[in-house]
């Protein structure tokens, strides 16, 4: 590590200031570039690394954040911000014991720091839960938690005040039981478009919630539908169902008003219009409960016209860090969050449309021999492991270079255009559609136009100024061109964010990664 010249040091400081200005505008990608230019000129300044780490953290690039923080600490062992940010990156990497060690150091230097305290509480909770699971060996309590949607008793909600005062649209329920007279779920007998419209317009848009009994019934019924679906969904409108439009959306992240705009602009769910939302419909945005309950209600009403893939945010760890658990507890209850959490374990992991397009939230397998049959064989009814196909479908990202590379996020891999081409050829497919990353134009084609990232949360987190996108599969009615190349059955549309009440992202969060 050589010392920079005076001119290099001066220029590096200008790039650092430029990066700080980008951070203030919440333009974290450009901030990373500016801090990187500063580091190229001067590798001796700790704060350059810890500043870049902050921007990387905001982009969910936990691995690169951790690496930068470690370098910052080597240069200046008293850089408290570097310990803080490394601790938060370890939380994102699910390395809770390492995170706790760093966060303890932060709180010694800055007692009472709210973000560090809340993140430390999350770490300690996960560590306690891990100890408890090991102690009971996955016994009855663990089993009952993973069957809460089936075991829930409707009458347990009858005394709740929210039900007694409820004057909104009504649902009729049936408590399902098995041959042993044990509860095995809830069936809603009268889900209708009228109920959904009133739920949206008379409750959600007025800042009101459903009674907990209704929320529990909707989750339980939808969970049963998801559970009975295969891990790899197959949809078709090319040979049969030719009058059916299939619309594919990416992340919506609790942006309820933008979700309503999607249905307003592009049509409602129905027998002639199938929707697939490609994961990450909760967390970050402050209407995640409303989005999830709307999606689940649509699944109940249109079970063969509405589909959800699981994203990396439909997982318990992410929900604890990025706001959904806190929002559920604020608007409903711990039990409702636990029901949602279990229902997420039943969501399919991928979808194929017309035997041409494969859609998953994250990315492709790292195994060079993997086929779509391997997806079908995944036991998805659990929290995802830290490695393997299950994790990669939720977490991996494309890269420009051929081959496999380490993930900037620290989970999954980065995969190149050769990986994409070989996977498509091996499985006789044409394109990959995935989500998981903000794309400023709403959609971005790469890997020789064989892979597209579609993102459907415009002005993500009220800060990114990105557009949203939607892909329609309409045989014979598509629009070949800039995006579509030879795919005349694809129609891609771009949309802007719409106004919403002045409630910030993660408004109900008690900490975690919410800064």
């Amino acid at each position: 590590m050589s010392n920079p010249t005076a001119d290099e040091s001066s220029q590096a400081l200008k790039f650092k200031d430029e990066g700080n200005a980008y951070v203030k505008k919440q333009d974290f990608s450009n901030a990373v570039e500016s801090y990187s230019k500063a580091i190229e000129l001067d590798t001796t300044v700790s704060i350059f690394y810890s500043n870049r780490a902050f921007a990387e953290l905001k982009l969910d690039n936990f691995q690169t954040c951790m690496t930068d923080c470690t370098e910052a600490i080597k240069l200046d062992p008293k850089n408290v911000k570097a310990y803080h940010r490394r601790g938060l990156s370890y939380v994102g990497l699910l390395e809770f014991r390492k995170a706790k060690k760093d966060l303890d150091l932060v709180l010694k230097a800055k007692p009472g720091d709210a973000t560090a305290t809340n993140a430390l509480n999350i770490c300690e909770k996960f560590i306690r839960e891990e100890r408890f699971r090991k102690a009971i060996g996955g016994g009855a309590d663990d089993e009952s938690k993973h069957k809460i949607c089936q075991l829930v008793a409707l009458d347990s909600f009858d005394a709740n005040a929210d039900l007694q005062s409820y004057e909104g649209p009504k649902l009729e329920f049936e408590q399902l039981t098995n041959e042993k007279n044990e509860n095995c779920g809830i069936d809603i007998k009268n889900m209708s478009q009228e109920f959904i419209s009133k739920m949206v317009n008379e409750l959600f848009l007025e800042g009101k919630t459903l009674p907990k009994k209704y929320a529990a019934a909707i989750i339980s019924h939808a969970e049963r539908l998801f559970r009975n679906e295969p891990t790899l969904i197959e949809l078709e409108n090319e040979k049969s169902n030719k009058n059916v439009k299939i619309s594919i959306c990416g992340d919506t992240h609790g942006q309820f008003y933008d979700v309503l705009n999607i249905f307003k602009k592009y049509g409602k769910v129905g027998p002639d219009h199938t929707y697939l939302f490609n994961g990450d419909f909760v967390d970050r945005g402050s209407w995640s409960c409303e989005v999830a309950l709307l999606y689940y209600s649509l699944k109940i009403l249109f079970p063969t016209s509405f589909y959800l893939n699981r994203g990396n945010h439909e997982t318990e760890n992410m929900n604890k860090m990025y706001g959904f658990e806190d929002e559920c507890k604020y608007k409903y209850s711990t039990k409702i969050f636990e029901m949602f959490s279990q229902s997420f374990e039943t969501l399919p992991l991928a979808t194929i449309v017309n035997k041409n397009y494969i859609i998953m939230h994250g990315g492709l397998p790292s195994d060079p021999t993997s086929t779509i049959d391997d997806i079908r064989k995944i036991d998805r009814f659990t929290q995802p492991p830290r490695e393997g196909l299950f994790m990669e479908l939720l977490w991996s990202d494309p890269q420009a270079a051929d081959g496999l590379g380490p993930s900037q996020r620290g989970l999954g891999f980065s995969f190149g255009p050769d990986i994409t081409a070989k996977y498509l050829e091996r499985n006789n497919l044409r394109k990959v559609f995935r989500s998981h990353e903000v794309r400023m134009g709403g959609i971005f084609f790469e890997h020789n136009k064989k892979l597209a990232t579609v993102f459907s949360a415009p002005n993500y987190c009220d800060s990114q100024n990105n557009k949203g996108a939607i892909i329609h599969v309409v045989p014979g009615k598509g629009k070949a061109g800039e995006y579509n190349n030879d795919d005349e059955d694809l129609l891609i549309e771009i949309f802007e964010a719409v106004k919403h009440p002045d409630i910030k992202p993660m408004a109900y969060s008690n900490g975690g990664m919410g800064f």
Side-chain angles (χ1 to χ4, degrees), residues 145-395:
K145 177 184 176 183
H146 289 281
K147 289 188 175 181
I148 188 172
C149 290
Q150 297 99 295
L151 298 176
V152 64
L154 266 178
D155 56 14
S156 67
F157 297 94
D158 288 345
N160 288 357
D162 64 351
L163 185 63
Q164 305 303 319
S165 61
Y166 180 63
E167 296 180 351
K170 299 295 192 289
L171 288 177
E172 298 173 7
F173 317 104
E174 179 184 352
Q175 180 81 61
L176 302 177
T177 57
N178 58 24
E179 62 277 2
K180 297 180 181 179
N181 205 35
E182 299 168 331
N183 290 345
C184 59
I186 298 169
D187 190 70
I188 295 175
K189 313 303 291 185
N190 65 330
M191 180 61 73
S192 66
Q193 187 66 64
E194 180 184 9
F195 172 84
I196 294 173
S197 295
K198 288 184 175 180
M199 176 181 71
V200 169
N201 293 304
E202 297 179 9
L203 296 177
F204 293 167
L205 292 180
E206 296 296 323
K208 301 176 182 177
T209 58
L210 285 168
K212 298 178 187 67
K213 182 174 184 176
Y214 279 50
I218 290 169
I219 299 167
S220 178
H221 189 144
E223 187 269 352
R224 188 171 72 257
L225 296 173
F226 294 129
R227 180 176 290 278
N228 289 330
E229 290 180 332
T231 299
L232 177 65
I233 298 288
E234 297 189 55
L235 303 178
E236 196 271 328
N237 70 347
E238 190 173 44
K239 296 180 180 178
S240 59
N241 307 313
K242 289 186 178 181
N243 294 322
V244 176
K245 178 194 288 187
I246 298 174
S247 296
I248 302 161
C249 295
D251 304 39
T252 50
H253 275 298
Q255 296 187 194
F256 182 61
Y257 290 79
D258 293 307
V259 168
L260 295 182
N261 185 48
I262 288 172
F263 293 128
K264 180 179 179 181
K265 286 180 70 70
Y266 306 116
K268 294 181 178 179
V269 183
D272 61 350
H273 195 171
T274 294
Y275 274 86
L276 166 65
F277 284 84
N278 193 27
D280 278 17
F281 52 90
V282 299
D283 280 340
R284 302 283 198 178
S286 291
W287 291 272
S288 292
C289 289
E290 288 79 1
V291 169
L293 288 167
L294 173 59
Y295 287 176
Y296 281 25
S297 296
L298 289 169
K299 183 64 179 178
I300 295 166
L301 184 59
F302 301 108
T304 59
S305 297
F306 189 85
Y307 295 90
L308 291 173
N309 280 345
R310 190 176 187 179
N312 65 302
H313 277 268
E314 280 73 55
T315 56
E316 193 170 283
N317 293 335
M318 300 300 280
N319 295 158
K320 290 180 183 297
M321 293 187 289
Y322 287 97
F324 184 55
E325 179 181 30
D326 293 327
E327 183 186 334
C328 274
K329 289 179 177 179
Y330 181 89
K331 294 179 178 178
Y332 293 96
S333 67
T334 297
K335 179 179 280 189
I336 295 300
F337 170 69
E338 290 174 347
M339 291 185 70
F340 267 126
S341 186
Q342 194 232 310
S343 74
F344 294 162
E345 295 182 354
T346 65
L347 295 174
L349 301 181
T351 301
I352 290 178
V353 175
N354 291 337
K355 299 183 179 179
N356 287 326
Y357 309 115
I358 185 165
I359 303 107
M360 76 286 289
H361 180 74
L364 293 177
S366 59
D367 180 351
T369 66
S370 183
T371 69
I372 57 175
D373 282 336
D374 295 317
I375 298 176
R376 293 188 176 103
K377 295 173 186 176
I378 295 173
D379 178 8
R380 72 182 192 269
F381 302 107
T382 184
Q383 296 298 308
R386 285 189 56 82
E387 57 185 22
L389 176 58
F390 189 167
M391 173 66 79
E392 291 162 5
L393 291 170
L394 302 185
W395 278 94

Side-chain angles (χ1 to χ4, degrees), residues 105-124:
L105 289 172
V106 172
L107 288 170
K108 285 181 181 178
K110 299 169 62 179
D113 182 278
T115 306
T117 299
N118 290 323
L120 182 61
N121 288 339
I122 288 175
C123 293
E124 290 176 338

Side-chain angles (χ1 to χ4, degrees), residues 20-27 463 465:
N20 292 349
Y22 279 126
V23 166
K24 287 183 179 179
K25 293 190 290 186
Q26 300 190 67
D27 185 348
S463 65
N465 296 315

